[in-house]
Amino acid sequence: MPVSNLNDVLRKAMNQDYAVGAFNIHNLEFAKAVMQAAEELESPVILGIAPVSIDYAGLDELAAVARVCAERSNVPTVIHLDHGRDIEAVKKSISLGFSSVMYDGSKYPMEENIKRTREVVQVAHDSGVPVEGEIGIVGGYEELSGGTVDMDQLEKLYTVAEDAIRFVKETGVDALAVAVGTVHCMPIQKAQIDFKRLQEIHQAVDIPLVFHGCTGLKNEDYQKASELGVKKFNIGTRLMMEFQAKLYRELQNAEHRAVLRCLKEATEAVYRAVKDRMLILNCAGKV
């Protein structure tokens, strides 16, 4: 089927008891694993392509892989630029058929973030492409106290409801990534979510909210967050960990010229991880 628009996928989930996973893909193996799980469960899915993946495999190449996967599939599939670096990256992604883009201006002061994000929104909306923005800062696990999470340090970066209201109004974004406790690249499920703050943001804005860094999110917190407006959950580190661990084990015992079998086994590990998260998101059968 044609590539799906992010707005169509997330708006369908609003006020319902499920959310949609955005799974980072870095190569053909990851894309195949994600699509296998989505098709088996009849789940909508978002293929996320981030700067680290673009640096590795190339934007044109990943866009082509994602587009083929989406067009061959019978489930709604969004092709999403994750953490777009600048407006040129956004323009290039749109020209390659992406159906959703994120511009991350969270490192800038509020005024500059609004200015830059609004410019991206104008360009993307002219092509019918939705935009995800970010207010507040979702930190990186290794950046926070050398691999531990200091809550006092983290809370200084959290999204404020009043800022969210202004940001959404002045930029026109279609989805909003918020910082309320999740952390990028957190390998253990110990994120402490400020649900009171999340509820305040949900009540303040009427667009889908987004969680980044969901590998560290506790299983029971997915549904709680979904009920408070989070309808897009970004999952990347968990998939990379599963792929790497399985590939390493297989290569340790591989015979000569068995690398393709090892890659297949690692791909299966990613498929199982994606399927597991989709079941927790309750998105199976929601096509």
Side-chain angles (χ1 to χ4, degrees):
M1 65 167 57
V3 176
S4 296
N5 184 283
L6 182 72
N7 279 344
D8 294 337
V9 168
L10 295 189
R11 285 173 182 167
K12 185 177 178 181
M14 291 294 281
N15 302 315
Q16 296 197 46
D17 63 348
Y18 75 96
V20 183
F23 300 95
N24 287 354
I25 63 169
H26 316 287
N27 56 23
L28 177 62
E29 284 74 23
F30 278 78
K32 288 176 65 177
V34 173
M35 295 309 301
Q36 181 183 351
E39 290 166 1
E40 181 176 317
L41 294 179
E42 297 184 328
S43 168
V45 68
I46 300 166
L47 299 177
I49 299 176
V52 64
S53 310
I54 294 169
D55 290 343
Y56 166 68
L59 180 59
D60 293 80
E61 291 81 356
L62 288 173
V65 168
R67 193 167 58 248
V68 168
C69 287
E71 292 174 351
R72 286 182 176 177
S73 179
N74 58 359
V75 300
T77 305
V78 176
I79 303 176
H80 175 74
L81 176 66
D82 193 27
H83 292 285
R85 291 168 168 163
D86 51 46
I87 195 165
E88 293 308 315
V90 168
K91 288 179 179 177
K92 179 68 180 298
S93 299
I94 292 171
S95 73
L96 291 172
F98 282 56
S99 56
S100 170
V101 295
M102 180 202 183
Y103 174 70
D104 182 1
S106 62
K107 65 181 179 181
Y108 296 107
M110 171 71 87
E111 295 289 345
E112 187 67 14
N113 189 1
I114 289 174
K115 177 183 176 182
R116 290 170 177 263
T117 304
R118 182 167 55 223
E119 183 180 3
V120 168
V121 169
Q122 290 171 347
V123 168
H125 281 187
D126 283 346
S127 297
V129 175
V131 176
E132 174 190 334
E134 181 172 331
I135 187 73
I137 299 175
V138 179
Y141 188 67
E142 295 302 326
E143 300 168 357
L144 295 166
S145 303
T148 61
V149 177
D150 182 308
M151 294 309 298
D152 291 335
Q153 181 185 9
L154 198 60
E155 286 175 4
K156 295 176 183 177
L157 309 175
Y158 281 178
T159 306
V160 177
E162 290 77 10
D163 290 342
I165 294 171
R166 180 187 171 196
F167 184 81
V168 171
K169 180 179 179 180
E170 295 189 21
T171 63
V173 292
D174 304 277
L176 181 67
V178 296
V180 294
T182 56
V183 179
H184 283 122
C185 302
M186 188 176 187
I188 51 177
Q189 290 182 270
K190 290 190 176 181
Q192 302 295 319
I193 305 303
D194 186 340
F195 283 104
K196 181 176 182 296
R197 185 183 295 262
L198 179 60
Q199 183 174 23
E200 292 171 353
I201 298 168
H202 175 48
Q203 292 173 341
V205 299
D206 61 356
I207 62 175
L209 303 179
V210 179
F211 266 9
H212 286 244
C214 293
T215 295
L217 190 62
K218 299 173 186 176
N219 288 354
E220 61 268 25
D221 286 347
Y222 279 83
Q223 187 61 32
K224 291 172 64 177
S226 177
E227 292 171 357
L228 294 174
V230 181
K231 293 301 173 182
K232 177 175 175 281
F233 288 77
N234 287 23
I235 302 165
T237 298
R238 174 182 292 270
L239 309 188
M240 187 69 82
M241 290 168 59
E242 294 291 337
F243 184 86
Q244 180 174 313
K246 185 63 174 176
L247 183 60
Y248 178 79
R249 290 195 298 270
E250 292 296 321
L251 286 172
Q252 292 294 97
N253 301 311
E255 298 176 359
H256 183 54
R257 297 176 66 184
V259 67
L260 292 180
R261 178 180 59 78
C262 296
L263 284 171
K264 184 176 181 180
E265 292 295 328
T267 303
E268 284 291 312
V270 176
Y271 150 74
R272 289 191 293 271
V274 173
K275 184 177 178 181
D276 173 72
R277 292 300 92 181
M278 286 180 167
L279 292 172
I280 287 172
L281 289 167
N282 198 35
C283 54
K286 300 300 195 300
V287 296

